[in-house]
């Protein structure tokens, strides 16, 4: 392991061991302080966040984009502070920490025995939403995690999410899709963060007027298993309670090839994501390149 990897792993380890012991108001202040310091330094992540917001809010002035990126970093650090503290939250704190609208789309789908795929963008705190599902709804689910470097950091994330009641599969390796399909055919729940393609072979979609790629997995799983495909968007307001919206199901088209059906369904997902992101751009934590115009074809996503 390189020195940089050891440092990264140590910093995350310190966060999980120390931040979760802080009183909540102290953790909130710490997160905001770190966010403001990072924003003032204007590193690559902050600059990319601002560039992405420029597409979401195309008529924004430079001053407005600066305000958005500052709010975005505060939202991003709120996610991290909450995530570090989630393992120490009581079941009641988890149950009352999230207030989703139209949850009946999910509960009715599960009750039907079809299996359900929830697809989310990088909005607010998807880990908290997942913990709410396992705690409030008492419903386990399966998800996929990107392999992080160093490997010890990936192991920390897997242990953290498994501790919240999730089954976590590695994104790489090729076996994840088959396992997800089996869970869905058994009437289970699968949750996938699906606004950024990690394979460089995803589905091209129109996203805020430009071409981006999003993963085909959610649409393919729905087609192959008969599961319900539900977009979900999340956001923060001024309260300690995260808000959310479960959108209506995305149906499988009646005609067309598999690729054509996948394209139509993935575009519908992108449209639902865009609605939530446009309403709450500061809660979209996209600090990486997303649109094809920003990607180096030789390198793929970065």
């Amino acid at each position: 392991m390189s020195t940089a990897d050891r440092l990264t792993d140590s910093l995350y380890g310190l966060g999980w061991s120390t931040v979760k012991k802080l009183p909540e108001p102290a953790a909130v202040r710490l997160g905001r302080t770190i966010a403001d310091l990072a924003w003032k330094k204007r590193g690559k992540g902050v600059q990319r966040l601002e560039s992405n917001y420029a597409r979401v809010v195309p008529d924004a002035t430079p001053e407005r984009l600066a305000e958005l990126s500052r709010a975005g970093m505060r939202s991003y650090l709120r996610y991290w502070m909450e995530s570090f503290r989630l393992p120490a939250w009581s079941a009641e704190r988890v149950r009352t920490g999230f207030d989703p609208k139209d949850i009946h789309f999910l509960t009715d789908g599960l009750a039907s025995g079809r299996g359900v795929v929830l697809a989310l963008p990088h909005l607010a705190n998807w880990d908290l939403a997942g913990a709410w599902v396992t705690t409030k709804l008492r419903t386990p689910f399966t998800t996929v995690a990107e392999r992080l470097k160093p490997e010890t950091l990936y192991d920390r994330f897997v242990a953290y999410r498994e501790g919240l009641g999730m089954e976590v599969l590695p994104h790489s390796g090729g076996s994840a899709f088959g396992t997800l399909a089996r869970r869905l055919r058994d009437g289970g729940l699968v949750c996938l963060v699906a606004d950024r393609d990690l394979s460089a072979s995803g589905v091209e979609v129109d996203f805020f007027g430009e071409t981006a790629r999003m993963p085909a997995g959610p649409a393919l799983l729905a087609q192959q298993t008969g599961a319900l495909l539900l977009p979900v968007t999340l956001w923060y307001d001024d309260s300690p309670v995260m808000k959310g919206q479960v959108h209506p199901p995305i149906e499988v088209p009646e005609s067309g090839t598999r690729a054509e059906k996948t394209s139509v369904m993935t575009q519908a997902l992108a449209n639902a994501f865009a609605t939530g992101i446009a309403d709450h751009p500061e809660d979209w934590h996209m600090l990486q390149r997303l649109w094809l115009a920003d990607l180096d074809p030789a390198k793929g996503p970065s």
Side-chain angles (χ1 to χ4, degrees):
M1 187 188 301
S2 69
T3 301
D5 284 348
R6 280 196 297 270
L7 178 60
T8 299
D9 184 58
S10 297
L11 288 173
Y12 280 103
L14 182 65
W16 264 300
S17 63
T18 303
V19 173
K20 69 180 180 183
K21 298 175 184 176
L22 293 175
E24 191 154 338
V28 170
R29 288 194 300 271
L30 177 61
R32 181 161 290 199
T33 299
I34 294 171
D36 288 351
L37 287 172
W39 178 77
K40 288 176 182 176
K41 288 181 69 175
R42 292 193 60 77
K44 288 183 179 179
V46 173
Q47 292 180 48
R48 177 55 55 190
L49 184 67
E50 209 164 283
S51 172
N52 289 338
Y53 287 160
R55 286 186 166 96
V56 175
V57 190
D59 58 349
T61 63
E63 293 76 17
R64 172 62 177 146
L65 286 175
E67 291 173 3
L68 268 178
S69 64
R70 184 178 189 181
M73 290 304 295
R74 287 182 171 185
S75 175
Y76 186 48
L77 264 294
R78 176 173 172 175
Y79 159 75
W80 278 111
M81 291 298 116
E82 286 179 350
S83 295
F84 286 144
R85 292 172 51 75
L86 259 177
W89 280 16
S90 68
E92 181 62 19
R93 178 70 179 88
V94 173
R95 284 193 291 265
T96 59
F98 179 41
D99 180 24
K101 300 176 182 177
D102 295 325
I103 196 67
H104 67 89
F105 287 125
L106 170 58
T107 53
D108 291 351
L110 291 171
S112 74
R114 285 181 65 181
V116 176
V117 180
L118 294 180
L120 306 88
H122 286 80
L123 273 169
N125 191 340
W126 47 97
D127 286 326
L128 172 55
W132 184 89
V133 167
T134 60
T135 304
K136 174 79 171 179
L137 301 185
R138 298 183 180 180
T139 301
F141 66 87
T142 305
T143 189
V144 174
E146 177 185 359
R147 279 206 175 274
L148 302 171
K149 293 183 180 180
E151 190 75 13
T152 50
L153 179 58
Y154 170 77
D155 292 340
R156 286 186 189 274
F157 269 96
V158 170
Y160 155 64
R161 288 180 171 136
E162 288 179 342
L164 298 176
M166 311 175 192
E167 178 187 21
V168 183
L169 307 175
H171 180 270
S172 57
S175 63
F177 189 91
T179 302
L180 295 174
R182 285 194 295 274
R183 300 290 182 270
L184 292 168
R185 290 191 182 101
D186 290 339
L189 176 63
V190 164
C191 300
L192 300 171
V193 179
D195 58 342
R196 180 169 175 256
D197 177 54
L198 296 173
S199 67
S201 61
V203 179
E204 290 192 2
V205 295
D206 180 274
F207 197 52
F208 291 101
E210 290 192 47
T211 303
R213 269 195 303 259
M214 293 189 181
L220 287 172
L221 285 166
Q223 290 177 62
Q224 293 194 19
T225 68
L228 204 63
L229 176 56
L230 298 175
V232 179
T233 52
L234 311 171
W235 67 92
Y236 292 127
D237 56 18
D238 293 331
S239 77
V241 179
M242 184 176 71
K243 304 303 191 295
Q245 174 74 55
V246 183
H247 297 258
I250 293 174
E251 302 294 343
V252 178
E254 294 183 2
S255 62
T257 65
R258 185 174 71 167
E260 288 168 346
K261 292 177 180 180
T262 301
S263 178
V264 170
M265 295 172 74
T266 306
Q267 182 63 62
L269 263 186
N271 294 344
F273 293 166
T275 298
I277 292 167
D279 287 344
H280 305 279
E282 68 279 4
D283 292 322
W284 189 41
H285 308 149
M286 186 55 66
L287 280 73
Q288 298 86 19
R289 294 179 175 90
L290 179 72
W291 282 272
L292 296 195
D294 294 336
L295 294 172
D296 179 349
K299 296 179 180 179
S302 62

